[in-house]
Amino acid sequence: MKKNKIFLTLFLLSLVSLFAMMSGCGKTVSDDIGKTRVANNLEITLADIQLKISNNDKKQMIQLDFTVKNTGKEKAGAGAGDFVIQTKDGKKHKMYSLNANNFGDEIAAGKILKGAGFYEIPANQKEVTVLYEPYSQETTDNVKWTVAIPVK
């Protein structure tokens, strides 16, 4: 009788351990959504990522929401075109220019600009890197965010 209780206890402990290990398998990759980076007197926050419908079956459209604060003493510009998406294969994908809702404007000193950028990337990407590469000026800062692509 005592042996049965010991075996039953060991069996239950094994099951609990197995379930605990399996629950860790489905965790999503932590990403940089909500994190702020600083470059060129701008505090840039990647606020959100959403998956949108693409007209091309071999691609997927993502919307990235940004908040940009000008911490400098002079006006500055920022927009969706200042960011590129780098996929795992190392290729860079620019802003999807056919979307009229891409943000961009001049920001007065101390003011904030919020807006969305749209980017078309190859289908089935699970994670990408968002790079700040402004066209108008060179940045010496390595500013990037790693983000997980939402599932459909």
Side-chain angles (χ1 to χ4, degrees), residues 35-39 42-46 66-69 78 83 132 143 145:
K35 295 194 176 165
T36 301
R37 308 283 192 256
V38 178
L42 298 174
E43 289 181 358
I44 307 165
T45 303
L46 180 53
F66 294 95
T67 301
V68 184
K69 180 178 181 180
F83 301 91
Y132 175 65
V143 179
W145 297 260

Side-chain angles (χ1 to χ4, degrees), residues 82-124:
D82 294 330
F83 301 91
V84 295
I85 308 301
Q86 186 173 25
T87 49
K88 288 285 185 192
D89 60 7
K91 292 184 181 177
K92 293 181 179 180
H93 306 272
K94 294 181 180 182
M95 165 192 77
Y96 183 69
S97 59
L98 296 178
N99 191 316
N101 294 323
N102 283 307
F103 87 106
D105 207 349
E106 211 170 63
I107 313 167
K111 297 297 181 184
I112 295 174
L113 174 66
K114 293 182 180 185
F118 296 84
Y119 305 85
E120 195 170 55
I121 59 175
N124 302 319

Side-chain angles (χ1 to χ4, degrees), residues 119-134:
Y119 305 85
E120 195 170 55
I121 59 175
N124 302 319
Q125 298 291 314
K126 297 193 181 341
E127 185 178 85
V128 295
T129 302
V130 180
L131 303 170
Y132 175 65
E133 294 183 350

